[in-house]
Amino acid sequence: MRPQQPGAAALVRRAALVATGVYLSALLVGPSGHHIWRELVLQVLAIELCAAYVWVLAARDRRHRGWRVPVAVWITFFGLGNVVANAHTGDVQPQWTVVPSLLLYVVCYPFAVVAVAMLLRGRLRAARPGPAVDAVVGALAIGAAFVCFVVPPAVESARAGGVPVALILAFPICDVVVLTLLVAGIAVSGPERISGWFALGIALFGSADWWFVVRISLGDWQTGTPVDGVWVLGAAVVSLLAAPVPDGNGRTASRTWSAAALVVPFAASLTALTILAVGSRARLPMAGVVLAVTAILAALSRLALAYTSERRHAEAHVQARTDELTGLANRRGLYEALDAALEPPLAVPVVVLLGDLDRFKQVNDTLGHSAGDDLLREAALRLLACVPEDAVLARLGGDEFAVLLPVPDGDPRDGGHALALALVRTLDAPFSVGGVRVSVSVTFGVAHAPDDDGPVARGDLLHRADLAMYSAKRTPRRVAVHGRPPGDAPQDVHAGTHGVPRPAGEPSGLPAPGA
């Protein structure tokens, strides 16, 4: 929503809106041809009120004066050019007023370039590779269209009308420069309200300029046509919509740059392909065709860059959720899987197994951290081979592991308890770490969701599994289910081998020093 400008700014803005509306209405419904009261009074009044509004904004806000002042000068000089161009009574502009009015119009355009450059200051320098390529693609497409469709007829018309070619081409060249800067800024910064309004205003100016240079070169330019209204509308868009700052910071808040990022390269590629299609049937300047081909090649390189960037993003996404040591999911990966599984409505009951390795600290302290890492990797492989394919196995840090298991059939507590027993058994077998045989054990706590009271939050579910794990550590058993007495579980197995015979003479912990 546009912030309210108090005092003089709001008053001048309302006056500019009224004057612009009155002039456009008079142009559309009034008599055709040149009428000095409409073209000189109403038109110039609307333009200069738009300029006055920008002057007031620049005077009130020093932070954004750097780009508002050139906008105000630009619109002011454009209005002065209209004063000279319309100070006559006939439908055709007198020849003696053509060059002075053209000079005033040409003088105003450098200020438009400065205004846009100041607005985009810093954004192009900070461009990332992808948006920078988008800006190049857009510039190449605009340049190709300009060289193919604007320069040849403008030069031909200027020569036919006896008007200097440089003076005639100054208008479309300035339009192209400003529009290219805006496209580059949009490509780099994302779709912004200010840049969008500027681009629309320049597009209106450019279309009217093109018609003007052709007709003025041929000597039959007439005022009082709808083209005059296009200019005034462009000035109003730039002054009343682009010059005000939507969020008070010189630009709109940054939005997610996703599908909208494709607008510039897609439009540029479509423009370049259209030029090549036209060039296959009509003779176009070679420079324009080369620019169009270059734009397409640049667009293809942008696609390759986007693919590489997306792949790196996907890899980073996976790495951020993967434990570096074991390759299992990490705590963040488990949390995301839990959030997805617990999101209402919960269609399938789930259980969480939380466990840690007993006597792991002894391995680290006696054999070193490298041996401890080897033990964790081997334990992770055993656990991974034991869990179902639809389960999520994660290492939460240190020697702590967790399993998220959907249990669509039966009592989830029974399913979780059975899996915990299987995991205990698979880790009961001795490990070979650095040529030394060691034995560790694991203790698991099991919790399920939903419970009898309904859904269970992620934090509550993990807390319950944690409580069950510490309950299991205080009993001869190494598996405990939250909400179920330790002895009230099917296939409850006493601590020890859990069905896996320990080899004769195999110690329960680390071998004695020197073994």
Side-chain angles (χ1 to χ4, degrees):
M1 181 178 294
R2 183 191 310 279
Q4 297 295 322
Q5 286 92 21
L11 182 63
V12 176
R13 182 174 182 273
R14 283 194 292 268
L17 285 171
V18 171
T20 301
V22 169
Y23 167 71
L24 293 177
S25 299
L27 185 65
L28 292 175
V29 302
S32 60
H34 176 79
H35 296 273
I36 195 168
W37 60 270
R38 183 180 62 194
E39 272 62 64
L40 184 61
V41 178
L42 292 181
Q43 183 191 100
V44 174
L45 178 63
I47 294 173
E48 295 303 339
L49 281 175
C50 289
Y53 173 62
V54 184
W55 281 115
V56 173
L57 292 180
R60 295 179 63 90
D61 188 357
R62 297 181 59 184
R63 294 177 301 169
H64 309 298
R65 189 174 296 171
W67 59 272
R68 279 176 173 162
V69 168
V71 170
V73 175
W74 165 21
I75 304 302
T76 300
F77 270 94
F78 176 69
L80 294 177
N82 280 4
V83 170
V84 175
N86 293 321
H88 59 89
T89 56
D91 288 343
V92 179
Q93 182 178 355
Q95 191 66 30
W96 63 270
T97 66
V98 171
V99 172
S101 63
L102 290 180
L103 289 176
L104 286 171
Y105 292 143
V106 169
V107 168
C108 78
Y109 271 98
F111 291 99
V113 176
V114 172
V116 174
M118 294 291 290
L119 178 66
L120 301 177
R121 181 177 53 183
R123 302 185 199 176
L124 301 182
R125 291 196 303 266
R128 299 185 304 275
V133 175
D134 291 343
V136 172
V137 173
L140 289 171
I142 292 174
F146 175 74
V147 171
C148 289
F149 302 122
V150 176
V151 172
V155 171
E156 183 179 352
S157 299
R159 289 173 178 171
V163 180
V165 174
L167 191 59
I168 285 297
L169 287 180
F171 300 105
I173 288 176
C174 290
D175 290 326
V176 167
V177 170
V178 177
L179 189 59
T180 301
L181 283 174
L182 287 169
V183 169
I186 293 173
V188 170
S189 305
E192 298 175 299
R193 196 174 305 158
I194 293 179
S195 300
W197 286 127
F198 259 118
L200 176 60
I202 291 297
L204 292 171
F205 264 95
S207 61
D209 283 342
W210 166 236
W211 183 253
F212 170 74
V213 296
V214 171
R215 306 319 305 178
I216 199 71
S217 300
L218 296 177
D220 61 354
W221 166 252
Q222 294 183 2
T223 57
T225 65
V227 178
D228 291 336
V230 175
W231 270 315
V232 175
L233 187 59
V237 168
V238 170
S239 302
L240 305 181
L241 297 177
V245 182
D247 63 355
N249 293 317
R251 54 177 293 181
T252 56
S254 178
R255 295 187 291 179
T256 302
W257 187 231
S258 53
L262 301 176
V263 172
V264 171
F266 176 78
S269 301
L270 185 61
T271 301
L273 289 173
T274 302
I275 291 172
L276 295 180
V278 173
S280 65
R281 296 178 176 273
R283 184 176 180 83
L284 293 178
M286 181 57 63
V289 175
V290 170
L291 287 174
V293 172
T294 307
I296 293 175
L297 294 177
L300 292 176
S301 68
R302 176 64 174 104
L303 290 178
L305 185 63
Y307 171 77
T308 303
S309 176
E310 186 63 26
R311 186 178 62 182
R312 290 176 180 173
H313 177 74
E315 292 174 352
H317 180 84
V318 172
Q319 291 173 358
R321 291 152 181 82
T322 303
D323 176 54
E324 183 178 359
L325 178 64
T326 62
L328 303 177
N330 59 12
R331 185 180 297 271
R332 181 177 181 180
L334 176 70
Y335 284 177
E336 291 187 357
L338 271 171
D339 290 339
L342 297 175
E343 183 178 0
L346 182 61
V348 178
V350 298
V351 290
V352 169
L353 286 66
L354 196 62
D356 61 12
L357 302 182
D358 303 316
R359 297 189 298 276
F360 174 74
K361 187 175 185 300
Q362 294 175 267
V363 176
N364 254 352
D365 294 344
T366 306
L367 301 180
H369 291 288
S370 178
D373 291 345
D374 292 340
L375 176 60
L376 288 173
R377 279 190 286 263
E378 180 63 27
L381 290 176
R382 292 191 189 183
L383 295 173
L384 190 60
C386 194
V387 299
E389 291 185 358
D390 57 349
V392 176
L393 175 62
R395 174 176 175 247
L396 304 185
D399 62 342
E400 191 174 17
F401 292 87
V403 181
L404 170 63
L405 175 68
V407 186
D409 301 318
D411 191 333
R413 294 174 296 180
D414 294 344
H417 186 267
L419 178 60
L421 290 177
L423 297 178
V424 167
R425 293 189 186 103
T426 196
L427 293 190
D428 267 344
F431 293 83
S432 178
V433 179
V436 179
R437 290 169 64 83
V438 297
S439 294
V440 296
S441 58
V442 64
T443 302
F444 273 107
V446 181
H448 70 286
D451 59 14
D452 295 337
D453 296 326
V456 180
R458 181 233 292 170
D460 292 336
L461 185 61
L462 291 173
H463 180 62
R464 294 177 183 181
D466 195 49
L467 292 176
M469 180 182 68
Y470 282 101
S471 176
K473 288 179 179 295
R474 294 193 297 267
T475 67
R477 302 167 177 85
R478 287 183 282 164
V479 175
V481 180
H482 182 268
R484 174 178 283 178
D488 186 22
Q491 304 177 16
D492 198 11
V493 180
H494 191 275
T497 62
H498 282 257
V500 179
R502 190 181 301 281
E506 182 66 39
S508 61
L510 289 170

